[in-house]
Amino acid sequence: NTNDLVIACMDFEFIGGSLGSVMGEKISRACDYCMEHRIPFMIINKSGGARMMESAFSLMQLAKTSGKLSQMSDKKIPYISLCTDPTFGGTTASFAMLGDVICAEPDALIGFAGPRVIKETIKKDLPDGFQRSEFLLEHGFLDVIVHRRNLKEKLGNLLILFKA
């Protein structure tokens, strides 16, 4: 039932799903709606990062969305984050990793900066599977990996747990 969950999706086809002031406002308003109606919120993340052409306006969305999700947490309204391939940059530094439950698709690439940038920065080889959802689950950054074909059932079970 769509009345039981609000879902926001990032559109990777538009500027790599980058986070800008409009998306930040949409997430903020969705949080307000969820708090007003006391219903859970889910964001399907697919992003290359913050929209750098918006400079500080884009970066302010990290604090704005994180603040709204904190308000939801204070009101005990569940927030589920689903990270798809890829989920990078400011989205990972903020709302993608703030879920009450953080889910990812199998083999999704998730991180702040890409593996090439990290490798060039630290001048070391990275572990096999670094920044893939399985690696992140093993290291405690994710709660569950779920394939899309099983997503409806998994979400239903999670929502039942939140209602208990």
Side-chain angles (χ1 to χ4, degrees):
N1 185 342
T2 56
N3 294 328
D4 295 336
L5 178 68
V6 170
I7 301 174
C9 300
M10 300 186 77
D11 182 5
F12 199 75
E13 298 297 317
F14 184 73
I15 314 180
S18 54
L19 176 65
S21 53
V22 171
M23 189 65 194
E25 182 64 17
K26 286 182 177 185
I27 292 170
S28 177
R29 289 181 185 202
C31 288
D32 287 339
Y33 181 87
C34 290
M35 286 186 283
E36 179 183 341
H37 297 283
R38 301 209 48 82
I39 54 177
F41 183 39
M42 178 176 154
I43 298 178
I44 300 173
N45 302 292
K46 186 167 185 148
S47 176
R51 192 167 295 171
M52 297 318 298
M53 66 285 267
E54 288 187 27
S55 63
F57 293 107
S58 179
L59 294 176
M60 288 185 322
Q61 305 316 305
L62 308 180
K64 179 180 185 174
T65 56
S66 297
K68 285 292 184 178
L69 291 170
S70 178
Q71 290 175 359
M72 285 185 58
S73 179
D74 290 345
K75 293 180 184 288
K76 308 280 191 258
I77 308 289
Y79 164 54
I80 299 169
S81 175
L82 173 62
C83 299
T84 64
D85 183 38
T87 299
F88 270 103
T91 57
T92 307
S94 60
F95 56 85
M97 292 296 150
L98 292 177
D100 294 303
V101 178
I102 304 171
C103 309
E105 292 187 309
D107 203 37
L109 193 56
I110 303 165
F112 182 71
R116 179 188 51 81
V117 172
I118 293 172
K119 184 177 177 178
E120 288 175 4
T121 302
I122 66 172
K123 310 279 190 254
K124 292 183 180 179
D125 287 333
L126 301 171
D128 286 338
F130 182 72
Q131 292 185 316
R132 292 289 175 184
S133 51
E134 293 75 11
F135 183 92
L136 296 174
L137 179 67
E138 185 179 314
H139 289 84
F141 287 93
L142 298 175
D143 296 308
V144 65
I145 295 173
V146 60
H147 195 281
R148 284 186 189 193
R149 68 177 163 259
N150 303 323
L151 188 58
K152 183 177 179 179
E153 179 183 355
K154 180 60 81 176
L155 284 175
N157 290 336
L158 286 171
L159 293 174
I160 288 168
L161 288 174
F162 280 116
K163 286 183 179 182

